[in-house]
Amino acid sequence: AQSVTQLGSHVSVSEGALVLLRCNYSSSVPPYLFWYVQYPNQGLQLLLKYTTGATLVKGINGFEAEFKKSETSFHLTKPSAHMSDAAEYFCATGGSQGNLIFGKGTKLSVKP
Amino acid sequence: EAQVTQNPRYLITVTGKKLTVTCSQNMNHEYMSWYRQDPGLGLRQIYYSMNVEVTDKGDVPEGYKVSRKEKRNFPLILESPSPNQTSLYFCASSLSKMVTAFFGQGTRLTVV
């Protein structure tokens, strides 16, 4: 069965520092992989997704993620954190029924 | 504007009192689903629907019902709510399986 694991329920970085949020997936078939962001009191917004093709995926707000099959990983990065990046981030994969299977989420804090 | 609209945004109710949370999308999407979000657990799918009159259970369907009489609407029904259904609920829609899901703003339900 497909699943995703997000390492670290809370990550804190300084403004301007590298953001790295980790996600590992488990799937017996080539996966669809997504990163969603949730700002306080809001719904989820798609940051980026990997389906097929190029393994480095660029998303909105300067985020990108690299699909590494050998490591079963899909880590999210941003070179320089901004205060507005503070939010909760969810990695997800596509289930066999077309549903989304989410990780437990990582809360990102950005310190001035 | 393309959107998924949930109502109400906030609801406090008592144990056993039937309630319905409405969800409507204006994108002519075939695939709709309901998730609940709980701290430390991420989002878990309750029910999904691949088209009108086609619904199926997700990972945590106990205590919930849904219907899909029209393409745009996908209400979530709690016939006899219990305190363990206190949660944040999200409706989502997508054009089909495995493509970008659009999420509503969420409904925060408290059952006392």
Side-chain angles (χ1 to χ4, degrees):
Chain A
Q2 296 97 325
S3 66
V4 291
T5 302
Q6 291 183 241
L7 297 175
S9 57
H10 288 88
V11 170
S12 182
V13 301
S14 297
E15 193 172 20
L18 171 72
V19 175
L20 171 61
L21 304 182
R22 299 177 188 273
C23 173
N24 287 89
Y25 68 91
S26 169
S27 174
S28 58
V29 298
Y32 288 73
L33 292 162
F34 307 83
W35 275 100
Y36 280 86
V37 60
Q38 184 181 30
Y39 298 104
N41 298 316
Q42 294 190 26
L44 279 76
Q45 179 183 5
L46 181 71
L47 271 179
L48 49 81
K49 65 180 178 183
Y50 170 79
T51 53
T52 59
T55 56
L56 182 63
V57 181
K58 294 188 184 299
I60 62 171
N61 301 338
F63 284 92
E64 61 182 36
E66 186 171 10
F67 170 64
K68 290 188 176 180
K69 186 177 179 180
S70 61
E71 299 177 7
T72 61
S73 69
F74 191 58
H75 301 331
L76 182 71
T77 61
K78 181 173 180 177
S80 176
H82 193 271
M83 296 296 291
S84 61
D85 295 326
E88 189 160 18
Y89 293 80
F90 292 93
C91 182
T93 188
S96 58
Q97 299 299 323
N99 55 319
L100 287 169
I101 300 169
F102 286 90
K104 294 183 179 181
T106 298
K107 279 192 178 170
L108 176 67
S109 301
V110 182
K111 299 174 290 188
Chain B
E1 179 189 352
Q3 58 186 7
V4 178
T5 303
Q6 293 178 230
N7 280 296
R9 291 289 310 278
Y10 302 91
L11 179 59
I12 300 174
T13 190
V14 296
T15 299
K17 185 176 181 181
K18 181 180 177 180
L19 66 91
T20 299
V21 183
T22 63
C23 174
S24 180
Q25 51 93 3
N26 63 359
M27 295 168 279
N28 202 35
H29 285 171
E30 291 187 348
Y31 192 94
M32 297 185 75
S33 55
W34 277 101
Y35 294 86
R36 61 176 289 174
Q37 182 181 12
D38 301 290
L41 297 179
L43 284 85
R44 295 175 292 168
Q45 192 183 50
I46 303 170
Y47 268 94
Y48 65 95
S49 169
M50 293 195 190
N51 214 326
V52 175
E53 301 292 1
V54 181
T55 64
D56 210 344
K57 297 177 181 179
D59 298 318
V60 289
E62 293 78 20
Y64 304 95
K65 285 175 54 178
V66 292
S67 69
R68 188 90 182 272
K69 292 184 170 56
E70 307 163 281
K71 199 171 188 179
R72 63 183 292 126
N73 296 323
F74 190 46
L76 179 70
I77 303 156
L78 285 72
E79 294 271 3
S80 183
S82 62
N84 64 11
Q85 293 178 296
T86 293
S87 187
L88 179 58
Y89 291 86
F90 287 100
C91 180
S93 76
S94 58
L95 195 57
S96 63
K97 296 193 314 181
M98 300 302 189
V99 298
T100 302
F102 292 82
F103 283 81
Q105 294 288 82
T107 295
R108 187 167 293 281
L109 172 66
T110 302
V111 183
V112 299

